[in-house]
Amino acid sequence: MTRKEFIEQVGIGAAALLIPGCFGACKKTSNSTSTSSSVDFTISVASGALATNGGYLIQNGVIIARTMAGAFIAVSATCTHAGGTLQYASSTNDFTCPVHGAAFDTSGNVINGPASTPLQKYITTLTGTSLRVHS
Ligand code: FES
């Protein structure tokens, strides 16, 4: 074996060792992205803001409101215009952004600009006093 042949053989071997490591790193990045976009958590509504009609709170990036009729609704807490943190207005049963005045209905649809993109809406399931919020 010549010196040139030896270097070529070692180079191919090193590349073969590095390729699986690269695929592993790429896979981890993909998994972390999908985890951060999913929502699935449970909170108690026995006490606190959600114990009474008209109350709301923000948890895990989700604004959860209890309407005056007693229904639970949940949407993304971040305004789609420029990232303001939303509030729930029980008197008008909608979500408002204090930054520039956007408003969203209980399904997350825009009812007042400047936002033009709807909010992500989440499913709420009440079991006893435990409320599950999920995608
Ligand atoms: S950030 Fe909400 S309306 Fe502009």
Side-chain angles (χ1 to χ4, degrees):
M1 174 181 290
T2 66
R3 181 177 176 169
K4 182 179 177 185
E5 290 171 338
F6 175 76
I7 291 172
E8 287 174 353
Q9 291 289 327
V10 171
I12 291 171
L17 290 174
L18 293 175
I19 288 173
C22 178
F23 286 134
C26 294
K27 186 176 180 181
K28 286 178 184 174
T29 300
S30 176
N31 284 347
S32 64
T33 300
S34 64
T35 300
S36 64
S37 64
S38 65
V39 166
D40 193 349
F41 60 91
T42 301
I43 58 173
S44 173
V45 298
S47 61
L50 295 178
T52 56
N53 291 349
Y56 77 95
L57 59 77
I58 295 174
Q59 184 165 326
N60 300 337
V62 178
I63 184 168
I64 306 152
R66 182 170 183 164
T67 69
M68 294 306 288
F72 292 97
I73 50 178
V75 296
S76 170
T78 304
C79 180
T80 57
H81 175 236
T85 300
L86 299 176
Q87 301 170 336
Y88 173 68
S90 61
S91 61
T92 50
N93 195 32
D94 59 15
F95 298 96
T96 59
C97 179
V99 181
H100 306 109
F104 304 85
D105 67 15
T106 55
S107 295
N109 298 312
V110 177
I111 54 176
N112 189 47
S116 59
T117 304
L119 301 170
Q120 173 69 49
K121 182 173 173 63
Y122 298 102
I123 299 166
T124 58
T125 306
L126 184 65
T127 304
T129 58
S130 293
L131 183 70
R132 181 181 174 210
V133 179
H134 59 103
S135 302

